[in-house]
Amino acid sequence: MVEAMPLEFFERLPKDAGFADRFGRRLSYLRISVTDRCNMRCDYCRPAPDSYRAESHAKMLRYEEIGRIVRVAAGLGISKLRLTGGEPLVRRDLPALIERLAAIPGIRDLSMTSNASLLERHAKALARAGLGRINISIDSLNALRFRRLTGGELQPVLAGIRAARDAGLAPLKLNTVLMRGINDDEVAELIDFAADIGATIRFIELMPMKQGMDWKRHYIAIDEILARRDVRARVDVGAVPADGNTAARYLPLRDGSGEVGFIMPMSSRFCEGCNRLRLTADGGLRSCLPADRQLNLRDLIRGGGSDDDIRSLFLRAALIKPEIGIYDFDAASPRRSMIHIGG
Ligand code: SAM
């Protein structure tokens, strides 16, 4: 049984195997949720306001605790970090965390995912602190639709996107979750918009997160999008997709101006190349997005745990990383909404 496998198993792996799981996947990427609070309420991500409770501030990892965890993780082989949430920019003084993380030896790629609504005034400070690049979520270019879907305003997001570009946060990526009957008619327009501002857009299949929107009604597979005439007019769908060792497959634009990414967690799982672990805002270490098992780093640290104890917990997370992430629709866990896990 997996649980019975001793940690020494990992200690005995050849050094050049790096930090890997039982299936030989090297783990080099940690996604860190810095808050479970958000200033938007995207229908696919967050439970209805009356059933949504953010954790108390005292339960959130402090910046020095995140820094310590990352130092240990970097010692194991984690080299790539992405800050997420909730909305990372609602956490106070985020540049201080970025500066701390960027200075850790071994961290070579430091990025963030944001809804960009607060980015216009923070982009330069983030870049100065050491943020390398940013992915921005934008699900519609129609202001009314945007407001209905997210509860936020489109204009500040557009200003945030421009500010990120001007601050040199590159490459600039945009993320759009595709939803049938909500925004699937905007794909061509979003591709043109991204090309105009010099960004790469990625379309993401809707995942059935707990308390998210009605997945069966709104899910649309990327294949269906790629069959559409206005999309085929722009995207070379016959090209061999470049996978670039990420979750996204990229296809070139026909006019040669760039590429478009497609992230298909539902129709074409990318578990085989998964190199990720996740740290929730309250210190849970998870090895798979849909698998609910998590290990409690916060209690370990606050209970006086040593760096070696932290390291052991990372090794244990690798040990329990499932081969395949399974999205089951009826699981009764309270933590399955994206805003709690960190997207
Ligand atoms: N607030 C930030 C933002 O808006 O990008 C970061 C957090 S958000 C949870 C991170 C990413 O998760 C976003 O790109 C969002 O679109 C994606 N996401 C959330 N729920 C999803 C779902 N049910 N299916 C697919 N993607 C989802």
Side-chain angles (χ1 to χ4, degrees):
M1 205 176 101
V2 169
E3 298 308 311
M5 235 164 142
L7 290 178
E8 295 77 58
F9 170 81
F10 289 92
E11 309 284 3
R12 275 190 259 112
L13 284 174
K15 280 269 178 289
D16 63 3
F19 176 38
D21 71 2
R22 293 176 301 132
F23 309 99
R25 294 174 295 196
R26 273 170 184 263
L27 304 176
S28 55
Y29 181 7
L30 182 64
R31 289 176 81 101
I32 302 173
S33 173
V34 296
T35 178
D36 65 348
R37 289 170 163 75
C38 191
N39 56 349
M40 290 194 183
R41 45 151 194 74
C42 302
D43 287 343
Y44 51 77
C45 181
R46 171 179 176 157
D50 49 355
S51 65
Y52 166 69
R53 278 226 326 268
E55 295 283 11
S56 71
H57 285 295
K59 287 190 174 164
M60 298 293 113
L61 289 180
R62 295 187 288 271
Y63 285 172
E64 59 270 27
E65 291 173 324
I66 297 175
R68 181 176 171 206
I69 290 168
V70 169
R71 223 181 337 98
V72 174
L76 277 165
I78 295 288
S79 59
K80 177 174 171 181
L81 303 177
R82 173 173 296 281
L83 305 185
T84 182
E87 171 49 40
L89 287 173
V90 304
R91 179 122 184 208
R92 209 183 307 158
D93 203 11
L94 195 65
L97 176 65
I98 288 170
E99 216 171 299
R100 186 185 283 268
L101 299 179
I104 293 174
I107 298 304
R108 288 193 283 277
D109 184 1
L110 178 51
S111 63
M112 181 168 105
T113 299
S114 169
N115 63 32
S117 59
L118 302 171
L119 194 56
E120 189 180 16
R121 65 170 177 273
H122 292 299
K124 279 201 182 110
L126 295 168
R128 261 199 313 270
L131 187 72
R133 55 198 181 88
I134 191 162
N135 290 2
I136 294 173
S137 301
I138 181 161
D139 298 323
S140 176
L141 292 169
N142 173 307
L144 195 63
R145 206 181 252 192
F146 187 91
R147 190 182 304 144
R148 236 185 259 138
L149 180 66
T150 68
E153 296 298 321
L154 179 62
Q155 283 315 315
V157 171
L158 299 178
I161 292 172
R162 286 191 292 269
R165 183 193 54 191
D166 297 345
L169 294 168
L172 182 58
K173 290 185 186 158
L174 307 180
N175 287 338
T176 300
V177 178
L178 286 169
M179 292 158 277
R180 187 187 298 283
I182 294 185
N183 67 352
D184 61 316
D185 58 344
E186 284 191 64
V187 173
E189 201 186 332
L190 281 156
I191 290 173
D192 293 345
F193 168 76
D196 276 353
I197 58 156
T200 298
I201 191 157
R202 292 125 41 100
F203 294 97
I204 306 171
E205 287 178 347
L206 181 68
M207 293 181 279
M209 303 306 289
K210 186 172 168 72
Q211 299 165 309
M213 67 183 3
D214 182 345
W215 182 82
K216 287 184 180 136
R217 185 161 162 216
H218 294 295
Y219 169 73
I220 180 164
I222 294 291
D223 273 357
E224 189 177 328
I225 295 293
L226 291 178
R228 293 191 177 167
R229 205 179 318 153
D230 58 351
V231 175
R232 295 174 85 90
R234 290 164 172 80
V235 180
D236 183 358
V237 297
V240 178
D243 61 24
N245 199 25
T246 68
R249 306 250 176 89
Y250 289 92
L251 288 172
L253 287 171
R254 288 193 190 280
D255 66 6
S257 67
E259 52 187 14
V260 182
F262 298 95
I263 302 178
M264 298 171 271
M266 307 312 295
S267 68
S268 170
R269 270 196 290 240
F270 40 79
C271 300
E272 208 174 295
C274 183
N275 58 355
R276 302 170 180 193
L277 294 173
R278 292 171 185 267
L279 181 62
T280 65
D282 58 348
L285 185 60
R286 299 174 71 102
S287 54
C288 176
L289 175 61
D292 245 344
R293 183 108 191 260
Q294 64 184 46
L295 305 170
N296 192 333
L297 267 171
R298 183 197 61 212
D299 286 356
L300 180 84
I301 289 176
R302 294 189 186 169
S306 67
D307 284 2
D308 264 354
D309 294 331
I310 297 174
R311 189 167 174 275
S312 292
L313 218 71
F314 268 91
L315 295 175
R316 192 160 290 284
L319 190 65
I320 62 173
K321 187 174 171 71
E323 186 170 18
I324 290 171
I326 294 171
Y327 292 85
D328 50 357
F329 298 85
D330 305 314
S333 160
R335 299 198 64 89
R336 296 284 303 272
S337 55
M338 260 312 192
I339 194 164
H340 280 126
I341 300 171

